[in-house]
Amino acid sequence: MPEKSLLTDDLRAAIGGYFLRYPTKQATLLPALHAVQEKLGFVPPEAVEEIAALLDLQPAEVQDALSFYGFFKQDRPLGKYRMWVCRSISCEARDEEDLLQYLQEKLGIEPGQTTPDGRFTLETAECLGACDYAPAILVNDVLHEEMTRAKIDGLLDALE
Amino acid sequence: MAPDRGVTVAQYEPVLSANFHKPDGHTLAVYQAGGGYDTLRKTLKEKSPKEIVELVRASNLRGRGGAGFPTGLKWSFLPENHPGPIYLCVNADESEPGTFVNRVQMERDPHQVLEGIILSGYATRAGTAYIYLRYEYPLCFKRLQQAIDEAYAAGYLGKNILGSGYSLDVYIHRGAAAYVCGEETGLIESIEGRRAWPRIKPPFPAVEGLFRKPTVVNNVETLSCVKHIVERGVDWFKSLGTPADPNDPRDPGSYGPKLYGLSGHVSRPGCYEAPLGLTARELIDEFGGGVWGGRKPKAVVPGGLSTGVMSADELDTPLDFSAPMKVDCLGLGTGCAVVLDETYSMVDFLLGSCRFFAHESCGQCTPCREGTHWALQMVRRIKAGHGRLTDLDLLLEIADNIGILPGTTICGLADGAAWPIKNAIRKFRGEFEDYIRRTNAGGWMVTEPVPALEADSGQWTVGSCQ
Ligand SMILES: Cc1cc2nc3c(=O)[nH]c(=O)nc-3n(C[C@H](O)[C@H](O)[C@H](O)COP(=O)(O)O)c2cc1C
Ligand code: SF4
Ligand code: FES
């Protein structure tokens, strides 16, 4: 184990809890990556090595799977609020582009970037499965429905 | 949650959505008060797994996840007397653009979903079920986990369910924002902890699936239908929907209830239940309150982006398993329609579609990986005002040659990428030609090769494939 472990005892225990659910340790990889990203805000290369050791895998096997899923970030922690703006068909048909443009202006960042104060990460999403509420934006665990510029103003004010 | 937007079809009593609007409908108490889990209790006592498989087979239930494969037939591929373990994977990845009805089910009536899972697990002799849930459904995750916990506490899950000797564990496995995880073998790879690369079939999952064991993969809504077939019987199920074509011995028909989704340019988007075979026009006008702002429809995506588009004069097509193909769409897909009004540009439709599939192609098969990217590059160039009329033929050539149907790829993602291209260009060719002529006055008739544009920048670049 490296001197200063990134995976805290809590994290290790949480990942260990998943071992009981699957017949192989490798199958706990996605739950483990989610747990680590949730806790650290990202999955840096050092964490990849530690996860690999914990799951009896090669770091390359973890990196191979991780890099397939655009969901996990490796260079720097995500913002406190990760904002997913849906750009698929139903949202696009209801003027998502204007919302994305507005958010870019207000936050001063492009999709994929995080504000310098670490509060917001802006992302474009494929269909969020909320087309009945288009245009939709998912912020962490909360879906924001039928969004407008005014609603974005209110949302950004409310998220401190 | 927004208020009830649904209305009921005359003479049809919804079953799949019956609890959707009950206060606290997602809790065990409310579900049980409405008779929930009675069917499970009764069935575990009275019926053998084989008898349920037989019921499902006799009902001609077809999978609601997109392909419409007969569920009973799929289950019958499981090896007999297998020592186990056998796995059930519940496909709750629901990432097909325009699709959301599984979400509504899991948020509003997770116990109905669970009861279907337990009955189907019993029928297929599965000891473990994994619900593969897309990560972007946090409320589903919360509600499902709560329902699972309640079901364990009430003895509907775990060891020796209701004293029947049957045991089942259910776990939620959360995805990580990749569309191809919804393909059943990509889903299996993803659970196993690898990149979600679809597998070459055969072997089919029923023979060698998750952890190389016999595995059934079914959609959330399919398994909910199982519950109602067991509860109400085969005759009830077959009294709904479009009967099998008597002239086609291989047509299993389109029976049973369906949760239709409706979004895009309509007055009342939402999730509406009707017997299979509702026409697109009925869905839009009778449920959706018509196209918004009194406008006319231009095109309708019948069942998720992969299924392509219908033009305005094809809207009387029934949304069942066979009719959409008669208007050259890929199929019923997910039954979630997206309406595009007369002001919407089909160039934008095609651009969005090509962007999506190029982004989601897993890259294993050259025709899919290259085809989706080159199509995107061409449509970007057209959109930017550098299109040529020959590009339309080139796009069609790509679309006609990628996918399982032409036989060049491992999975159906490429067919899904191809259909919007084929349908949009063949059904709206005039609009594309006008656009190209109007925006590229000097070059629309050029036929020699032209360089590609750098992604989104409008700069020319030679030979780049990004
Ligand atoms: C690219 C791709 C994505 C798919 N996504 C889903 C999905 O999100 N949900 C789903 O139920 N089926 C999806 N399917 C279909 C599954 O492969 C499979 O046919 C289905 O889960 C089987 O369940 P059913 O027979 O109950 O419909 C997808 C197929 C492909 C080719
Ligand atoms: S068809 Fe496309 S998505 Fe499917 S396996 Fe091949 S490359 Fe991957
Ligand atoms: S298209 Fe945006 S949620 Fe489906």
Side-chain angles (χ1 to χ4, degrees), chain A residues 68, chain B residues 179-180 183 185 196-201 357 360-370 372 402-404 408-415 417:
Chain A
F68 180 81
Chain B
Y179 169 62
V180 78
E183 197 278 342
T185 56
W197 272 358
R199 293 178 183 170
I200 294 175
K201 287 143 270 192
F357 290 104
E360 298 300 327
S361 168
C362 85
Q364 279 191 101
C365 320
T366 309
C368 173
R369 180 187 65 240
E370 299 298 315
T372 54
I402 61 173
I404 295 182
T408 59
T409 62
I410 295 172
C411 93
L413 184 140
D415 301 82

Side-chain angles (χ1 to χ4, degrees), chain B residues 61-71 74 89-96 99 102 134 179-187 198 201 217-223 306 334 357 360 404 411-416:
Chain B
L61 168 65
R62 296 172 69 174
R64 301 326 198 207
F69 194 83
T71 306
K74 183 188 279 188
C89 293
V90 183
N91 197 337
D93 193 51
E94 193 168 71
S95 307
E96 178 69 38
T99 304
N102 288 171
R134 66 179 305 200
Y179 169 62
V180 78
C181 291
E183 197 278 342
E184 54 185 5
T185 56
L187 181 151
K201 287 143 270 192
V217 185
N218 273 128
N219 173 265
V220 168
E221 190 181 339
T222 311
L223 298 178
S306 293
T334 59
F357 290 104
E360 298 300 327
I404 295 182
C411 93
L413 184 140
D415 301 82

